[in-house]
Amino acid sequence: MIELQQVTKSFNGQKVLDGLDGTVAAGECLVVMGPSGSGKSVLLRHIIGLLRPDSGKVLVEGKSVPDLSPEELRALRRDMGYLFQSGALINWMNAHENVALPLRETTDLGEDEIRSRVQRVLALVQLEQAAEKFPSELSGGMQKRVGLARALVTEPRIILYDEPEAGLDPEMSANINRAIRQLKEELRMTSVVVTHSINCALTVGDRLAVLEHGRFLVEGTPQEVLDSDMPRVQQFLGAKRD
Amino acid sequence: MNPFTRTGAGLLRPAMAKAGYGVWLATATLGRLPHLRRRFRALLDYTYLAGVRTTPVVLMVGFFVGMIVSLQVGIELARFGQQESIGLLVAVTMAREMAPFVTCIILAASVASSMAAELGTMKVQDEVTALEVLSVDVVSFLVLPRVLALTLAAPLLTLFADVVGILGGGVIAVTQLHLDFSGYLHNAREALKTTGELIPLPEDLYVGLLKSTVFGFTIAVVGCAAGLQTSGGARGVGETTRAAVRTSIILIIIFNFFLGKALHS
């Protein structure tokens, strides 16, 4: 479970999060939409402890993330996955080595078990054939799918997706969205998805929130939010539908 | 706050913060030495990059530095009829000062800059953040093999520079000062015979090797620290690279003075 209580964050005097409240129940998928620069990625970085709030609380599994020691934070992150917008693959390692990295660095698993797990998640993102390729030999979409495989290989209980379908063609976007939905349903992962895509929100989200001016303007099931009569929400989502 | 204080604080605070990070990184790297077995493969790779690939440049520069020392000092010695002592002076100057200094300046310009650029690019492309999120120990994974590789490569390269520098000095001794090469070499060997009290090696040689070990460690920490503190995209990487080389060279000169003074006394 993830809880955000009155979270405030400013950069150079400009408030990005302004008393943000929100909850993601265990096994639930919250989709966060909002204009560019509204603080969606900043929100994810607070949840995984890359940023500390100026005030307010960020609780993950009941633990206050900003108050954790480096060791406690590392232990918490082992239960979390994070898909970066760019994939953020280590450039001198091939796809297999990138996916295997968290297992080699943070577990005592043998090489056979690591190989089998890596092959399983690469198959999930349809990249078994690209295991030996380096990031520079992969397209942007393929890099993102390797990034997704790397986020999933440790079988985390919580996973955060930063624009999972950005830069992908429509067919691959649909595949990624289906994979996220499948993971949520089969593994009961708690997930937060930051996206600009209504299709993604409708496919994967249990709940949808629109973030602007540092707070959620509206929150509810995707259909409730789409039916919202708030002018700003309609303006934003209407533009996305077009 | 008056304008002088504000200007001073604005200039000093970032510099102090960077220095503090560098000291922390150096300490944290030493604390990760028990991880060495897991990083052995990376250590070999970086030793190859830092050592083997820099060897031709070090050999060429070392040879010419030896010739320059021999020529400049030899001309002056010849005025007093003391040119036979040139072997002694070239050997001691190369071993104590010129070889470690020149080798580590080359390493700062080539290896520290590439470390800063590589880690800086990783930082701005979120690869370092990805490692943190994956609970990978960034100091152990990225910094330890690089720092250790340069700390080991620097004294080895310095030793090569010593040898070629003395040979270069010999070429000048024979062609310009009209000395016998075997006499020159004998003179140089005699100069390096004095062994230290603590270590049973030629004192001038190990003073130089000790210096270059310290310089190698410093250069690598500066390069890695600069890279890991990069922000601001491609422009930030460029600034980081420049700062890493500048800081490394300044620290080499300062440490050279203090180490020279401490080891001499």
Side-chain angles (χ1 to χ4, degrees):
Chain A
M1 185 172 180
I2 301 167
E3 289 175 85
L4 303 158
Q5 298 171 3
Q6 288 292 303
V7 176
T8 302
K9 182 71 179 178
S10 300
F11 294 103
N12 300 321
Q14 191 175 351
K15 268 191 181 166
V16 177
L17 300 180
D18 187 9
L20 178 74
D21 286 307
T23 307
V24 189
E28 184 186 41
C29 177
L30 172 70
V31 175
V32 180
M33 296 183 75
S36 296
S38 59
K40 302 183 296 293
S41 298
V42 170
L43 168 65
L44 292 186
R45 284 172 183 244
H46 275 85
I47 295 171
I48 203 147
L50 289 170
L51 291 173
R52 296 170 66 88
D54 296 336
S55 63
K57 287 189 171 179
V58 179
L59 303 169
V60 174
E61 308 279 5
K63 292 169 187 159
S64 173
V65 178
D67 298 325
L68 295 176
S69 68
E71 288 73 27
E72 289 169 331
L73 188 58
R74 265 203 283 273
L76 180 70
R77 283 175 178 165
R78 281 185 206 122
D79 277 337
M80 300 173 83
Y82 192 110
L83 175 63
F84 287 82
Q85 274 185 40
S86 59
L89 303 178
I90 305 303
N91 59 68
W92 71 79
M93 293 179 153
N94 66 28
H96 180 99
E97 289 166 336
N98 260 287
V99 178
L101 180 66
L103 297 178
R104 289 192 175 133
E105 289 291 322
T106 64
T107 71
D108 296 323
L109 293 175
E111 271 306 306
D112 289 343
E113 173 64 16
I114 289 175
R115 196 174 306 113
S116 132
R117 279 208 202 186
V118 170
Q119 283 167 351
R120 199 163 63 231
V121 286
L122 281 176
L124 189 71
V125 295
Q126 301 168 29
L127 278 177
E128 311 98 300
Q129 306 306 319
E132 300 303 319
K133 290 193 171 172
F134 285 85
S136 58
E137 299 168 318
L138 299 169
S139 69
M142 290 164 93
Q143 288 186 28
K144 186 159 272 186
R145 282 148 63 198
V146 175
L148 178 59
R150 188 177 65 181
L152 295 173
V153 76
T154 53
E155 299 173 358
R157 283 185 292 170
I158 297 170
I159 185 155
L160 311 174
Y161 301 93
D162 196 351
E163 305 209 12
E165 79 303 332
L168 302 182
D169 62 57
E171 190 184 2
M172 193 43 67
S173 293
N175 286 344
I176 287 278
N177 290 340
R178 266 198 299 275
I180 294 172
R181 182 85 204 171
Q182 189 187 341
L183 289 166
K184 191 188 83 66
E185 285 172 353
E186 289 179 6
L187 304 174
R188 303 297 303 155
M189 281 180 186
T190 307
S191 40
V192 181
V193 181
V194 159
T195 183
H196 282 290
S197 158
I198 287 188
N199 275 342
C200 173
L202 291 172
T203 309
V204 307
D206 295 317
R207 281 192 307 127
L208 171 60
V210 177
L211 179 68
E212 193 173 39
H213 304 307
R215 295 177 187 208
F216 290 144
L217 286 181
V218 64
E219 231 185 309
T221 64
Q223 202 52 54
E224 283 170 356
V225 174
L226 287 174
D227 294 341
S228 162
D229 54 5
M230 286 179 73
R232 179 67 191 113
V233 173
Q234 279 310 315
Q235 192 186 357
F236 175 71
L237 295 177
K240 290 284 164 198
R241 280 190 193 117
D242 296 340
Chain B
M1 197 186 283
N2 70 52
F4 292 106
T5 313
R6 196 165 50 241
T7 308
L11 288 172
L12 282 177
R13 265 192 210 131
M16 294 301 283
K18 282 179 183 169
Y21 182 78
V23 172
W24 172 82
L25 192 63
T27 316
T29 305
L30 292 173
R32 301 307 195 281
L33 281 174
H35 299 192
L36 187 56
R37 243 186 87 205
R38 289 173 64 194
R39 308 294 172 212
F40 194 68
R41 175 68 203 274
L43 174 66
L44 290 181
D45 289 345
Y46 290 117
T47 307
Y48 172 76
L49 282 174
V52 179
R53 290 182 65 178
T54 320
T55 303
V57 183
V58 169
L59 292 179
M60 188 184 73
V61 174
F63 189 76
F64 274 90
V65 167
M67 289 204 296
I68 292 166
V69 171
S70 184
L71 186 65
Q72 293 302 323
V73 180
I75 289 168
E76 292 305 312
L77 287 174
R79 288 173 58 198
F80 302 100
Q82 295 292 316
Q83 61 268 41
E84 280 81 11
S85 309
I86 191 66
L88 179 148
L89 285 166
V90 169
V92 172
T93 309
M94 285 306 295
R96 284 194 85 101
E97 286 298 331
M98 295 313 287
F101 184 71
V102 168
T103 302
C104 290
I105 294 289
I106 292 169
L107 288 174
S110 56
V111 184
S113 61
S114 80
M115 283 179 181
E118 190 183 7
L119 296 186
T121 306
M122 288 183 72
K123 183 78 195 306
V124 298
Q125 289 182 346
D126 268 342
E127 291 173 41
V128 175
T129 310
L131 291 173
E132 287 175 28
V133 164
L134 293 167
S135 296
V136 174
D137 183 339
V138 171
V139 176
S140 169
F141 185 70
L142 293 178
V143 181
L144 178 67
R146 285 173 171 81
V147 169
L148 211 55
L150 202 51
T151 308
L152 295 173
L156 277 174
L157 290 171
T158 299
L159 201 58
F160 295 160
D162 283 335
V163 173
V164 294
I166 291 170
L167 289 177
V171 170
I172 294 296
V174 172
T175 59
Q176 304 292 312
L177 304 172
H178 311 295
L179 296 174
D180 173 49
F181 188 68
S182 60
Y184 166 86
L185 272 187
H186 175 75
N187 200 269
R189 272 203 305 270
E190 286 299 310
L192 297 177
K193 264 193 174 166
T194 315
T195 53
E197 289 173 14
L198 291 174
I199 309 170
L201 283 173
E203 189 181 354
D204 294 312
L205 206 58
Y206 82 67
V207 163
L209 297 181
L210 191 63
K211 274 184 180 179
S212 59
T213 307
V214 174
F215 297 163
F217 179 80
T218 307
I219 296 166
V221 169
V222 168
C224 291
L228 292 175
Q229 288 184 296
T230 305
S231 60
R235 194 174 185 171
V237 175
E239 174 52 36
T240 285
T241 309
R242 199 161 51 239
V245 175
R246 186 178 58 216
T247 310
S248 297
I249 291 174
I250 291 170
L251 288 178
I252 288 171
I253 292 169
I254 294 173
F255 286 1
N256 194 20
F257 170 76
F258 286 108
L259 278 172
K261 200 167 181 322
L263 293 168
H264 190 66
S265 56

